[in-house]
Amino acid sequence: MRRLMNVTPNRGGRWLLALLPFALIAMLYAMASAQRLAVNAEDKVLPSLSSMVQTLHRTALEEDRRTGERIFWADTKVSLKRLGQGLAISIAIALVLGLAIGLLPMMSATFSPLMAVISMVPPMAILPILFIAFGLDELSKVMLIIIGVAPCLIRDLALKVSQLPKEQLVKAQTLGASTWQVMLRVALPQAMPRLIESTRLMLGPAFLFLISAEAISADAGLGYRIFLVRRYLSMDLILPYVAWITLLAYVADTLLVQCSRRLFPWAHEVRA
Amino acid sequence: MSAISVRNVWVEYGEQIVLEQIRLDIESGAFVSIVGPSGCGKTTFLKLLLGQERPTRGELLLDGAPLPDEPGADRGVVFQRYSVFPHLTVLGNVLLGPELQASPLLARLFGAKRRAQREAATQLLDAVGLGESLHKYPAQLSGGMQQRLALAQALITRPKVLLLDEPFGALDPGIRAEIHEVLKKLWKETGITIVMVTHDLREAFTLGTRVVVFDRDARRKRDAERLRYGAVITQNIEVHKRRDKNAVLSSAGRDDPTPPQAPRQDDLAPVLS
Ligand SMILES: Nc1ncnc2c1ncn2[C@@H]1O[C@H](COP(=O)(O)OP(=O)(O)OP(=O)(O)O)[C@@H](O)[C@H]1O
Ligand SMILES: [Mg+2]
């Protein structure tokens, strides 16, 4: 008998083990839901699977009587646009500032302390300021994501760049590189996999900020919808929405991993 | 193709004196081996030549002019580690120098220019025996292959001076001899000045036209005194003239500019044990 720490599942076993907890949760839910509905057929807290499918069908495939839109897809589109804009701008800022702070001692001396302070500001606490400054529409929501995400990305990227071996930087200079060229050909490519990695980690917070902002002030969006129907205890809509948001985040995460493996093979176990 | 002149150079880190009274003239096209016990300041000396560190006293001249105080394209280098870029293929690593120098803005070459440089890079890689591995990443190469790549990468931009810091330390004797041949050939073809730090005395004498020994004065080796005295050049041995392959060690110590307190002995063993 081998030690437990040396026992590894094979390919099929891995799948099975991964699915097991999910199946268990689904089963527990179905049981609890059936029990509650048996006691009270009008119960809304744990809706049955069929009622959730029904609601999802209604919101995703039928046009809303008032707006003429399929609200599920309209919400998704609006939310993803906000999220995409917020993340894209954060990444752009992080690339410029992170590389500069990591590579240039003058920039680091100027901005490192500022970044350390800014990344400690709780973004939710300044949400009212954002609403006042940027109005109640799109801009303030995108700003919240940027303020919540960009400082962490900047700090992480700057750290990574400043950890490049000194030898590499000297070496590049002996090949005739200027500061700009070192940034472009040495620091940037080696920072990219790390940037993707930290973007993955920031996906969760980004969704958090998005949904918070939508909950407080919006007229569409996944977060808006969840908080709107909360008044009617519409768990049959809330639960599918939560599952959908989770799936979106999971897919985004997987895409980022694949992207990194494709574009930067040297950063992923190239050892032959 | 460049002479280096080191004039009474001192290096101090705070209280600690690392190097003192270093005087050395390296003629153009020489191959200087530097040996000495661990921690005596050999790497520090290379960093001076590189422009990565500045002397606290004294001055360094390259072809009569003060040495620039930052690394530049006239002085190539191969470190013991981290000399090649992990995110570039073998070919990309060698192409990097030409690309940096020919394209200030994008640092990339396209079309005919790229093909020409690619041709040159491939030839050089063939010469160092890496012609088969053009598209591998450094992590997929053995230690010896990585060092050969680093050599090719440093040499393709034709620096005036090549600085090597224990470049072959981690290699087994077979590969080492192989790289020695490659290095000797490239040195003779290009006529560059080479300064190499090594722990291997055989290597120092077979490759070098001159062997320079760094060490602390033997009489000051007690711990308390260690920090207050730096290493000096205790031996400066001309092995053979550049073109004169068959000269022997007979000229040892002949033009020795050693400071008077250094032990004058030709036996290197006690110094380097
Ligand atoms: N940045 C630094 N700050 C303080 N002391 C340093 C610094 N760099 C080197 N030293 C000291 O200078 C001395 C010489 O270091 P150096 O790296 O030049 O030795 P070396 O001869 O190359 O040794 P080895 O053969 O082990 O590589 C050491 O005692 C080291 O502690
Ligand atoms: Mg050293």
Side-chain angles (χ1 to χ4, degrees):
Chain A
M1 192 63 190
R2 268 187 299 171
R3 285 181 196 80
L4 200 55
M5 60 191 274
N6 293 328
V7 179
T8 46
N10 60 19
R11 222 182 140 73
R14 210 177 282 275
W15 272 99
L16 213 66
L17 287 175
L19 287 176
L20 193 68
F22 288 102
L24 224 71
I25 291 170
M27 218 166 66
L28 280 177
Y29 179 86
M31 265 159 51
S33 164
Q35 211 164 40
R36 282 188 74 109
L37 287 171
V39 176
N40 172 10
E42 293 298 300
D43 183 73
K44 297 191 114 177
V45 178
L46 297 181
S48 70
L49 204 64
S50 63
S51 72
M52 285 196 277
V53 170
Q54 229 169 37
T55 310
L56 203 57
H57 187 269
R58 180 166 50 76
T59 51
L61 299 178
E62 291 167 19
E63 285 172 9
D64 187 54
R65 258 168 284 132
R66 199 161 51 80
T67 58
E69 280 180 326
R70 298 183 173 86
I71 55 171
F72 179 83
W73 297 114
D75 285 341
T76 305
K77 204 172 119 193
V78 171
S79 286
L80 283 186
K81 192 170 156 207
R82 289 169 185 151
L83 190 78
Q85 282 176 346
L87 282 178
I89 295 172
S90 301
I91 288 173
I93 296 173
L95 268 179
V96 175
L97 274 181
L99 282 178
I101 293 173
L103 198 62
L104 310 175
M106 294 293 283
M107 287 294 281
S108 164
T110 314
F111 288 108
S112 287
L114 180 70
M115 281 304 143
V117 171
I118 285 188
S119 59
M120 291 303 155
V121 174
M124 291 309 297
I126 56 169
L127 186 56
I129 304 178
L130 296 180
F131 281 142
I132 293 167
F134 300 108
L136 290 174
D137 48 356
E138 298 308 301
L139 187 57
S140 56
K141 300 178 191 71
V142 175
M143 282 303 291
L144 180 67
I145 296 175
I146 295 172
I147 287 173
V149 172
C152 296
L153 291 185
I154 294 170
R155 283 184 84 187
D156 197 50
L157 207 63
L159 186 71
K160 166 72 191 177
V161 171
S162 66
Q163 283 170 344
L164 286 177
K166 187 88 193 276
E167 283 88 344
Q168 274 191 26
L169 303 182
V170 172
K171 176 83 201 194
Q173 293 177 65
T174 65
L175 295 176
S178 62
T179 300
W180 162 248
Q181 288 178 318
V182 170
M183 212 174 264
L184 192 67
R185 294 296 314 270
V186 179
L188 174 67
Q190 294 192 69
M192 279 312 285
R194 177 67 165 264
L195 180 65
I196 291 183
E197 198 67 22
S198 42
T199 304
R200 285 179 59 198
L201 290 178
M202 291 312 289
L203 273 180
F207 264 105
L208 167 70
F209 298 133
L210 172 75
I211 288 172
S212 312
E214 286 180 345
I216 294 171
S217 154
D219 42 27
L222 297 166
Y224 160 77
R225 194 69 54 195
I226 292 178
F227 278 81
L228 180 74
V229 301
R230 180 187 57 115
R231 284 178 238 162
Y232 320 114
L233 287 181
S234 294
M235 287 292 271
D236 54 335
L237 185 65
I238 294 176
L239 286 178
Y241 260 58
V242 171
W244 176 236
I245 292 170
T246 311
L247 183 69
L248 286 177
Y250 182 78
V251 168
D253 184 69
T254 313
L255 282 180
L256 284 174
V257 178
Q258 293 304 327
C259 192
S260 182
R261 282 181 183 277
R262 274 290 148 72
L263 296 175
F264 314 108
W266 50 267
H268 302 271
E269 22 129 46
V270 277
R271 186 105 229 163
Chain B
M1 300 156 273
S2 279
I4 299 167
S5 172
V6 181
R7 302 208 174 146
N8 194 23
V9 160
W10 294 58
V11 177
E12 293 151 59
Y13 289 116
E15 293 277 276
Q16 184 188 3
I17 300 176
V18 177
L19 294 173
E20 62 175 74
Q21 309 176 49
I22 302 295
R23 297 185 189 84
L24 183 64
D25 279 301
I26 298 172
E27 62 270 41
S28 182
F31 193 135
V32 176
S33 305
I34 296 180
V35 293
S38 189
C40 73
K42 304 180 299 293
T43 299
T44 305
F45 182 68
L46 274 201
K47 282 183 181 165
L48 288 176
L49 295 180
L50 207 49
Q52 198 184 335
E53 302 272 352
R54 277 168 234 188
T56 39
R57 272 185 260 174
E59 61 174 351
L60 295 110
L61 304 177
L62 179 63
D63 288 332
L67 198 92
D69 62 1
E70 62 176 1
D74 49 354
R75 287 150 293 150
V77 68
V78 175
F79 297 108
Q80 186 161 14
R81 296 164 59 210
Y82 302 126
S83 273
V84 293
F85 297 98
H87 62 290
L88 296 173
T89 60
V90 167
L91 188 62
N93 262 292
V94 179
L95 275 177
L96 184 64
E99 282 184 317
L100 291 169
Q101 292 184 9
S103 163
L105 200 60
L106 292 179
R108 282 183 190 281
L109 291 173
F110 304 97
K113 277 188 190 164
R114 183 179 169 86
R115 275 196 298 279
Q117 290 299 344
R118 215 189 123 109
E119 188 68 25
T122 314
Q123 260 175 28
L124 186 55
L125 281 168
D126 274 333
V128 299
L130 286 175
E132 310 283 294
S133 314
L134 295 183
H135 302 291
K136 282 192 176 161
Y137 286 99
Q140 296 167 309
L141 302 179
S142 72
M145 291 161 95
Q146 286 188 27
Q147 289 309 83
R148 279 180 282 172
L149 172 58
L151 260 182
Q153 182 188 41
L155 283 169
I156 194 157
T157 55
R158 309 206 160 267
K160 295 188 205 165
V161 178
L162 182 61
L163 306 169
L164 308 171
D165 192 357
E166 297 179 36
F168 315 126
L171 310 182
D172 74 63
I175 298 178
R176 208 183 258 236
E178 214 175 281
I179 300 191
H180 285 172
E181 284 315 305
V182 172
L183 181 58
K184 231 189 232 167
K185 195 164 139 262
L186 291 172
W187 170 58
K188 283 188 179 138
E189 279 168 14
T190 54
I192 59 175
T193 310
I194 298 183
V195 180
M196 176 180 74
V197 170
T198 178
H199 276 295
D200 182 347
L201 271 188
R202 248 181 83 98
E203 182 173 88
F205 278 95
T206 48
L207 287 176
T209 56
R210 182 178 290 280
V211 176
V212 175
V213 183
F214 281 46
D215 197 5
R216 291 202 173 79
D217 188 326
R219 281 161 298 179
R220 296 162 168 177
K221 275 200 166 164
R222 248 151 297 146
D223 282 349
E225 294 192 311
R226 254 188 114 82
L227 289 188
R228 283 184 284 120
Y229 295 94
V232 295
I233 293 181
T234 57
Q235 310 268 330
N236 184 344
I237 305 156
E238 187 171 17
V239 181
H240 48 66
K241 295 247 184 270
R242 192 167 132 65
R243 297 291 167 205
D244 183 7
K245 286 173 217 157
N246 301 319
V248 277
L249 291 174
S250 60
S251 58
R254 198 181 54 199
D255 52 355
D256 189 346
T258 325
Q261 77 270 23
R264 279 196 166 261
Q265 66 201 37
D266 288 342
D267 178 15
L268 290 168
V271 186
L272 292 159
S273 55

